[in-house]
Amino acid sequence: MNRHEPREAPRRAASSPPPAFPLAFAALAVSAGVIWVAWAVLLHLHRVLLANGLEQRWMDGLLVGVGLLPLLLLIPVVRSFIYAAKARAALTGSDLAAARVQTAEAREWAQYAIGYAVATVLVFLGIQFLLANGGAVASTFFKLELIRSSFGLVLEAFWKNVWMFCVAEVFILIWGLIIAVARMIPGRAGQPIRFLAIVYTDAFRGLPTIISIYLIALGLPLANVPWVKDWSPEWLAILALTVSYGAYVAEVYRAGLDSIHPSQWSAARSLGLSFGQTLRFVIIPQAVRRIIPPLLNDFIALQKDTALVNVVGVIDGFNQAKIIASNRFNLSAVTTVALLFMLITIPQTRLVDRLLETEKRRIRA
Amino acid sequence: MSFLEIRNVHKHYGDIEVLRGTNLSVEQHQVVCLIGPSGCGKSTLLRCINGLETIQSGEICLDGDRISGPGVDLNALRREVGIVFQSFNLFPHMSVLHNVTLAPLQVLKMPRAEAEERAMTLLKRIGLEHKAKAFPDQLSGGQQQRVAIVRALAMGPRLLLLDEITSALDPELVSEVLNIVRDLAAEGMTMLLATHEMGFAKEVASKVCFLYQGVVHEEGPPEQIFGDPHEDRTRAFLSSIIEAGRL
């Protein structure tokens, strides 16, 4: 046997770690800069409060308290320096392994300080933006007195948005499934139906929702279309939203139905189940579980798009807020409705993320 | 005329010819094993028999009745011809009992009580009655495949097609599945199975067919095919199996 002799591998030269002090100094510089910016912004805020006669003892306390917070950035900076010094000591004692560990710690703390410093400066710059123009920005968007006095009116109108998207969602779920199944009908007989379903989804996914609301909710009564012409603008808007979002949701359904492995079709059909029975008992129940996250995403978009119905004169939350805004020359009521929209959609977006995460875990398991 | 007659069947996917004039016959109560290298058309042939794939020419007859080509009631055919797949293909969102009763309930319109009673009897036979409420993901591969066999049996088929049903199983789980097939063979169930388990084929088969490039290259009783193959291709295939320690 002529085997290769194992060759002596060349020993890798132990490398000394990169220096830790420059990064620690950088972290110190960045943190100091951020602290300076924060204090400048807070001083500015103090002046604006004085100018508006809003100055109070507890507010000063609050400002000082907030001013102290950026100083916390110095804690990781100090740690970074401590570890950098330890690293240098280890290096002079030529303990390379210890030096590497201490250097890694020093760099880690320096990066930590820089990350928090960047986030802090962004927050304070945001405050500075609201203070711009002697506080005019803040009072245009956040005039508390106007928010309080108009809240009832805006909330009442906002219920119309809630009602519209709830009703529309039910119709969209049904309509989207019909379109999705129409796109899957097999055989030559199904060809024209498949074709129409494709034309429909392409057309309405290409059409901006605001235009389809405009065309349907204004156009149908204008054209005197029998039966439909007597509908209220709200119901016509719901029709427009259903037709428009039905196209998107049909695609979501179709992706879900396509994602079921063909072997499930084979198994069901081989037992004698018909096309329809296979869809109903085997494919759709599995697909629906998978499409809940993308479906919720589309519904969040729909909920926000209910604000578009103002183009046909429905008094929804946004339209009501616009009326108040133009009467009072201040946008705070619009801020109210914006916050209301966020209030109902943010929990749903969090939920979607959670569902996607569990789905991912399930597939990997 | 045999119970199942496959005459000169051609099947191609696009340019790829899979079956090139396949001929095969199965008598009632026979167990016929299809062996051959991967891609020789075993699975495709089985899928053609119960209409999961359409054939381009030739014909397939069951009990004298043509079951290929246009005008065949596929749903009715599939009540008589069951198939079990390599990858089990249980419905993951249904319990074991529900998997077994779905087709009897929806296709045969059997009353629920009767369907469930029959399903439980079948599950008891394979020793899985305590898993009736479990979901497929909670079962081992061997248990899933046994349920899949029971699911096909619940329709009371006259012909059972088994498509490499042990290929996806860990070796220690193979026997529990083969035992069921052995029992079914003893009871006289007509079966056509594609398999790589040569030892098993040798034991239960009434006839072994060696499929090569979409045609039955050689067929005969298992003693002859495994003991004294006449064709070079068969010999080459079997010697590679022996080399792999599988026979």
Side-chain angles (χ1 to χ4, degrees):
Chain A
M1 284 304 259
N2 188 10
R3 294 210 176 196
H4 286 288
E5 284 298 316
R7 234 181 309 164
E8 189 81 16
R11 266 188 75 88
R12 199 168 63 90
S15 58
S16 53
F21 272 110
L23 198 61
F25 277 114
L28 179 64
V30 170
S31 301
V34 168
I35 290 166
W36 179 77
V37 168
W39 287 351
V41 169
L42 289 173
L43 273 178
H44 188 184
L45 176 58
H46 182 67
R47 277 200 298 278
V48 169
L49 289 176
L50 271 182
N52 289 299
L54 288 166
E55 218 237 352
Q56 278 169 15
R57 178 68 56 77
W58 64 269
M59 271 191 181
D60 286 342
L62 189 69
L63 287 185
V64 171
V66 173
L68 289 177
L69 283 178
L71 289 178
L72 293 176
L73 289 172
L74 294 176
I75 296 175
V77 172
V78 169
R79 287 200 179 158
S80 175
F81 273 104
I82 292 172
Y83 280 111
K86 282 185 188 166
R88 175 171 290 174
L91 210 55
T92 47
S94 65
D95 183 355
L96 269 181
R100 275 203 288 263
V101 171
Q102 306 294 356
T103 304
E105 282 286 341
R107 294 175 69 87
E108 174 88 34
W109 281 110
Q111 285 161 353
Y112 180 86
I114 292 172
Y116 272 81
V118 169
T120 309
V121 82
L122 288 176
V123 170
F124 279 96
L125 288 178
I127 297 173
Q128 175 62 28
F129 169 71
L130 293 178
L131 294 173
N133 216 355
V137 174
S139 66
T140 302
F141 291 109
F142 299 103
K143 198 169 185 187
L144 283 178
E145 168 261 322
L146 183 57
I147 288 180
R148 212 175 298 140
S149 66
S150 66
F151 186 75
L153 217 52
V154 172
L155 184 65
E156 200 180 316
F158 183 70
W159 278 117
K160 188 162 278 176
N161 295 77
V162 175
W163 171 75
M164 287 203 319
F165 71 64
C166 285
V167 175
E169 278 170 14
V170 174
F171 287 129
I172 289 166
L173 278 179
I174 300 166
W175 179 237
L177 183 59
I178 294 173
I179 299 296
V181 171
R183 272 193 84 160
M184 297 181 64
I185 292 178
R188 263 192 305 192
Q191 205 166 21
I193 295 170
R194 286 201 298 272
F195 178 72
L196 277 185
I198 291 169
V199 169
Y200 166 79
T201 44
D202 282 359
F204 277 90
R205 285 199 305 163
L207 188 62
T209 311
I210 192 165
I211 295 180
S212 71
I213 291 175
Y214 203 78
L215 288 177
I216 290 173
L218 284 185
L220 295 186
L222 200 63
N224 232 348
V225 178
W227 188 51
V228 175
K229 69 174 194 281
D230 300 324
W231 290 12
S232 69
E234 283 86 349
W235 280 102
L236 286 167
I238 287 174
L239 174 67
L241 287 171
T242 305
V243 170
S244 182
Y245 272 84
Y248 290 99
V249 169
E251 286 300 292
V252 171
Y253 272 120
R254 197 167 68 93
L257 295 174
D258 275 352
S259 75
I260 304 302
H261 198 269
S263 64
Q264 289 286 308
W265 279 98
S266 299
R269 296 308 298 275
S270 75
L271 287 167
L273 268 67
S274 67
F275 178 83
Q277 286 173 323
T278 302
L279 264 182
R280 186 175 148 207
F281 296 110
V282 178
I283 306 298
I284 290 178
Q286 293 185 63
V288 162
R289 274 157 235 228
R290 294 189 193 176
I291 63 168
I292 285 173
L295 208 55
L296 264 177
N297 258 339
D298 273 0
F299 279 171
I300 290 166
L302 165 77
Q303 291 167 11
K304 295 184 297 172
D305 275 359
T306 54
L308 297 176
V309 300
N310 77 87
V311 298
V312 292
V314 174
I315 305 294
D316 72 322
F318 177 46
N319 213 355
Q320 180 66 268
K322 268 185 9 184
I323 292 167
I324 296 168
S326 50
N327 282 343
R328 304 286 298 269
F329 220 68
N330 185 295
L331 292 183
S332 296
V334 182
T335 305
T336 309
V337 78
L339 290 176
L340 286 173
F341 270 113
M342 284 193 245
L343 205 65
I344 56 165
T345 49
I346 287 175
Q348 296 177 78
T349 49
R350 294 293 99 226
L351 178 66
V352 171
D353 283 358
R354 274 265 299 279
L355 291 175
L356 284 173
E357 196 54 43
T358 36
E359 175 73 12
K360 218 191 283 175
R361 268 206 301 274
R362 199 182 64 81
I363 291 170
R364 285 208 196 112
Chain B
M1 184 107 181
S2 304
F3 181 60
L4 175 72
E5 282 269 355
I6 295 167
R7 278 192 224 107
N8 199 24
V9 164
H10 286 263
K11 164 78 189 171
H12 55 81
Y13 300 100
D15 289 339
I16 303 161
E17 268 196 282
V18 185
L19 301 178
R20 314 166 186 226
T22 314
N23 290 293
L24 183 74
S25 61
V26 180
E27 303 295 338
Q28 218 147 10
H29 310 305
Q30 254 191 346
V31 176
V32 174
C33 286
L34 294 173
I35 61 170
S38 301
C40 68
K42 301 187 296 284
S43 292
T44 305
L45 184 60
L46 296 183
R47 292 173 67 87
C48 288
I49 294 170
N50 82 339
L52 287 173
E53 306 286 348
T54 53
I55 61 174
Q56 271 87 34
S57 67
E59 65 174 0
I60 303 174
C61 294
L62 184 72
D63 213 1
D65 189 17
R66 190 174 53 79
I67 57 168
S68 62
V72 174
D73 181 353
L74 287 176
N75 294 338
L77 162 68
R78 289 168 183 154
R79 275 171 236 164
E80 303 193 44
V81 182
I83 185 165
V84 182
F85 303 94
Q86 180 178 348
S87 49
F88 332 137
N89 301 357
L90 293 179
F91 307 130
H93 60 300
M94 294 179 180
S95 68
V96 164
L97 185 65
H98 200 175
N99 261 284
V100 178
T101 55
L102 177 70
L105 286 173
Q106 301 302 333
V107 180
L108 304 180
K109 307 291 176 201
M110 200 182 275
R112 178 170 292 275
E114 187 189 342
E116 289 188 353
E117 196 191 313
R118 285 189 43 177
M120 288 310 291
T121 314
L122 285 166
L123 286 173
K124 205 170 282 175
R125 261 189 57 182
I126 60 166
L128 285 179
E129 74 272 27
H130 61 290
K131 294 284 188 189
K133 295 272 182 288
F135 283 83
D137 287 349
Q138 300 161 335
L139 304 183
S140 73
Q143 291 172 329
Q144 288 192 48
Q145 192 61 293
R146 279 143 73 194
V147 172
I149 294 172
V150 160
R151 181 174 69 174
L153 290 178
M155 291 296 283
R158 296 206 286 157
L159 171 65
L160 194 58
L161 309 171
L162 305 175
D163 186 5
E164 296 192 20
I165 57 168
T166 56
S167 298
L169 296 177
D170 289 336
E172 79 274 18
L173 302 176
V174 168
S175 66
E176 62 185 70
V177 171
L178 292 185
N179 282 338
I180 295 174
V181 180
R182 201 173 278 129
D183 287 351
L184 288 173
E187 286 164 23
M189 171 65 83
T190 313
M191 286 185 283
L192 180 57
L193 46 125
T195 186
H196 287 300
E197 305 289 342
M198 298 302 157
F200 181 71
K202 210 170 173 178
E203 174 198 333
V204 299
S206 339
K207 182 165 84 174
V208 175
C209 300
F210 173 65
L211 215 63
Y212 185 79
Q213 293 192 339
V215 290
V216 176
H217 209 64
E218 182 171 0
E219 64 173 86
E223 307 81 48
Q224 182 252 307
I225 295 289
F226 292 114
D228 175 29
H230 300 325
E231 301 285 334
D232 289 342
R233 299 265 185 223
T234 319
R235 258 193 295 261
F237 174 72
L238 288 173
S239 65
S240 65
I241 297 277
I242 289 165
E243 212 169 290
R246 290 298 189 90
L247 185 63

